[in-house]
Amino acid sequence: MAPTLILKTGTSWPDAWRRCLAVAPEAFRDDRVLNLWNGAWQEDGRALPAVSPVDGRTIAGPPRLDGNTAHRAVCAALDQHRAWRHLPLEERRARIAATLDALTEHRGLLALLLVWEIGKPWRLAQADVDRAIDGVRWYVDGVEPMLAGRSPLDGPVSNIASWNYPMSVLVHALLVQALAGNAVIAKTPTDGGVACLTLACALAAREGVPVTLVSGSGGELSQALVRAPEIGCVSFVGGRDTGAAVATAVADLGKRHVLEQEGLNTWGIWNYSDWDTLTAVIPKLFDYGKQRCTAYPRFVVQRHLFDAFLAAYLPAVRTLRVGHPLAVEQPDDPYPELDFGPVINAAKAKELKDQVAEAIDRGAVPLHRAAPDDARFLPGQDTSAYVQPVTLLNPPPSSPLHHAEPFGPVDTIVLVDTEAELLAAMNASNGALVATLSTDDRATYDRLAPQIRAFKVGHGAPRSRGDRDELFGGLGASWRGAFVGGDLLVRAVTRGPQGERLPGNFPEYQLLP
């Protein structure tokens, strides 16, 4: 009989909230977080309740501003930008370094907030915080040559990002943009992460970093955060539907932009035999329930290798550990080692389950469906945001699972017989961020990889967004605007020589780094 689980001591949401009130009382109230603009924490906006995906409890939600107030915030950020851009680099570097020290001091609290707000297991929540800190510190130590001959933009950088990586994507970008001489604006993601971002921005604002943090619906705030003439650059991370509207706006305005959009990242198997290596990597591909822009939800498998592929894949996927990220047997036990917890909310969980059921009804073959009884939960807890791992063979063309990224723990497999079919299936979404081809023959990889429409293509190993000097972008519809990573991130948010062409996907040209 499985032991009864309890919440680890000191990790409840009330515990985390009390710590936020103690660490940053200027940014938190008893029942809400505040917006940060014009250099001050503002008790404005309509505070909406939010729900933790972990167990359905009510937590702090975003204080949503109206469009007029958001535009006032943007105007105030422009004033900050005009002062900050003239600050000597050494002063900017010192303030960003002090912010990193403060984030390091409160690393545990930031990670705990990520657990409750977006359902990350403890290991991955800590990694998100650490990647932000370590990544920005790399720029602090080496940014001087990256800025040689360059100047800040004419206005602040507006950041609109998805909820899945508040620290290692959004906070990382904010601090590097500020280091490069820009005031920065961030919109809190609608689906989660507001308390974590509020705490991080409070620590940065204390060090004099010109950061603005606002909440609101994308539709209502887009006029201010995307179209306002005061904005020097728009940085967006999210889905293609929203990204397309942003791309149209910035193209019409001729505005600097970085738009990272989703794509169906694929893993091809062709004339391959190193099955032990594949078995070892499969569980890692399910980190955070595949709620990552660089997740691999599609395997494209040579038909005559399908039996060997299943023999390698199924034992690995059956080892996945799912459950409440803070549930332990004894109060002071270590945090549980999980591959993932909930998806972002109950609505997303229902959407995924409905898509799986519909695909099976229309002919997909279920190869693996984990049992809910195998998950680790507290007695009686709300589990409506949890989805157990599922693997489907040949989703029908009418299913979203055939052509789009599910953003959840659902794998699909497509069988092919020719190299042409392999490439067509791997390029099903008109561009992706990453892809991998597993083949024993290096010459085959060298011949096929350039035909795969992904920014990064691995040979038998996964690719990721990357850190520090590793570049990042996307091909096709998965990316619009300047590529980032390494010195390209600094170049994307600064001005260089007259007539400079930044590497990226732009309406008038595409330039690979």
Side-chain angles (χ1 to χ4, degrees), residues 6-12 15 19 112 326 328 330-333 335:
I6 60 174
L7 198 67
K8 180 175 171 60
T9 296
T11 64
S12 71
D15 290 331
R19 291 169 64 185
L112 184 58
L326 303 171
V328 295
Q330 300 296 327
D332 296 320
D333 279 353
Y335 289 90

Side-chain angles (χ1 to χ4, degrees), residues 131 240 260-268 285 292-298 300 405 425-437 445 449 452-459 461-466 470-476 478-479:
R131 285 182 67 184
R240 289 193 179 183
E260 176 186 330
Q261 301 172 114
E262 65 188 16
L264 183 61
N265 305 317
T266 58
W267 192 301
L285 302 183
R292 297 176 290 123
C293 66
T294 54
Y296 287 83
R298 167 66 52 79
V300 181
E405 181 182 20
M426 293 191 72
N427 293 330
S429 68
N430 183 25
L433 304 176
V434 296
T436 290
L437 179 61
Y445 173 82
I452 298 171
R453 300 258 305 152
F455 186 79
K456 297 180 181 181
V457 181
H459 184 194
R463 300 302 307 269
S464 69
R465 197 176 199 279
E470 188 171 355
L471 308 182
F472 192 59
L475 298 187
S478 67
W479 197 279

Side-chain angles (χ1 to χ4, degrees), residues 149-283:
R150 309 192 67 81
S151 60
L153 299 174
D154 294 333
V157 182
S158 176
N159 292 267
I160 304 169
S162 59
W163 44 266
N164 52 342
Y165 285 89
M167 292 296 297
S168 63
V169 172
L170 183 49
V171 170
H172 177 279
L174 294 174
L175 295 180
V176 176
Q177 293 160 4
L179 179 64
N182 303 288
V184 292
I185 303 169
K187 176 188 171 298
T188 62
T190 303
D191 288 321
V194 62
C196 178
L197 283 169
T198 300
L199 179 58
C201 288
L203 299 175
R206 284 182 183 176
E207 304 301 335
V209 178
V211 57
T212 294
L213 182 68
V214 295
S215 295
S217 72
E220 190 164 12
L221 300 194
S222 64
Q223 191 68 29
L225 300 184
V226 175
R227 293 180 172 273
E230 293 85 357
I231 297 296
C233 176
V234 176
S235 177
F236 170 87
V237 179
R240 289 193 179 183
D241 290 343
T242 304
V246 175
T248 299
V250 295
D252 290 346
L253 298 167
K255 196 182 294 290
R256 184 74 64 90
H257 57 284
V258 177
L259 309 182
E260 176 186 330
Q261 301 172 114
E262 65 188 16
L264 183 61
N265 305 317
T266 58
W267 192 301
I269 307 288
W270 190 261
N271 292 340
Y272 181 69
S273 62
D274 189 4
W275 301 111
D276 288 344
T277 295
L278 183 67
T279 297
V281 80
I282 292 298

Side-chain angles (χ1 to χ4, degrees), residues 286-303:
F286 276 87
D287 272 357
Y288 195 35
K290 302 209 173 193
Q291 297 178 104
R292 297 176 290 123
C293 66
T294 54
Y296 287 83
R298 167 66 52 79
F299 288 90
V300 181
V301 181
Q302 192 173 12
R303 190 181 305 273

